[in-house]
């Protein structure tokens, strides 16, 4: 999407809110340990769950959904940045992941 601020996974600062907007099954399979999970379809009703004191970096599987969410948030008063390449790039970069089961974390 044009005019959506983006960074690579290597450039995500440590002290931000990492917002994962994927669906529940994607989250359960593997996610960043400190991420906040709000599926894209629930975002509008859960805006109050976003902390107002940190920048928001938005991630999904590959970057498409997160770009749309980033544009929406920036249009509604947040300072949001898209994580380009999403969790696919996160995993490829060897960044820490956890799953909601005993299985090896993966991106689905």
């Amino acid at each position: 999407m044009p005019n959506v601020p983006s960074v690579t996974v290597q450039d995500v600062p440590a002290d931000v809110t990492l917002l994962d907007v994927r669906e529940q099954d994607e989250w359960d399979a593997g996610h960043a340990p400190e991420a906040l999970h709000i599926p894209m379809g629930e975002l509008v009703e859960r805006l109050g769950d976003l902390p107002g004191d940190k920048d928001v970096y938005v991630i999904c599987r590959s970057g498409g959904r997160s770009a749309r969410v980033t544009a929406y948030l920036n249009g509604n008063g947040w300072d949001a940045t898209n994580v380009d390449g999403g969790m696919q790039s996160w995993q490829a970069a060897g960044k820490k992941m956890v799953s909601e089961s005993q299985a090896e974390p993966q991106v689905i």
Side-chain angles (χ1 to χ4, degrees):
M1 293 186 73
N3 301 322
V4 173
S6 296
V7 297
T8 66
V9 295
Q10 291 86 354
D11 293 326
V12 175
D15 189 27
V16 297
T17 296
L18 182 63
L19 174 62
D20 191 322
V21 297
R22 297 175 300 148
E23 296 300 319
Q24 189 67 49
D25 62 331
E26 294 173 289
W27 169 265
D28 291 346
H31 58 87
E34 302 301 321
L36 169 63
H37 182 227
I38 303 177
M40 184 175 164
E42 298 176 16
L43 182 69
V44 173
E45 63 199 38
R46 293 186 55 196
L47 286 174
D49 293 349
L50 287 175
D53 60 342
K54 292 183 178 178
D55 291 341
V56 177
Y57 282 65
V58 188
I59 197 165
C60 66
R61 182 174 185 264
S62 62
R65 286 174 283 181
S66 56
R68 291 193 300 275
V69 168
T70 298
Y72 175 81
L73 290 174
N74 285 338
N76 287 279
W78 273 268
D79 185 7
T81 303
N82 184 47
V83 180
D84 198 31
M87 287 301 298
Q88 289 177 326
S89 292
W90 188 276
Q91 185 176 37
K95 296 186 80 63
K96 186 166 174 67
M97 290 176 54
V98 296
S99 70
E100 295 300 305
S101 70
Q102 299 300 328
E104 183 72 23
Q106 63 177 328
V107 177
I108 61 169

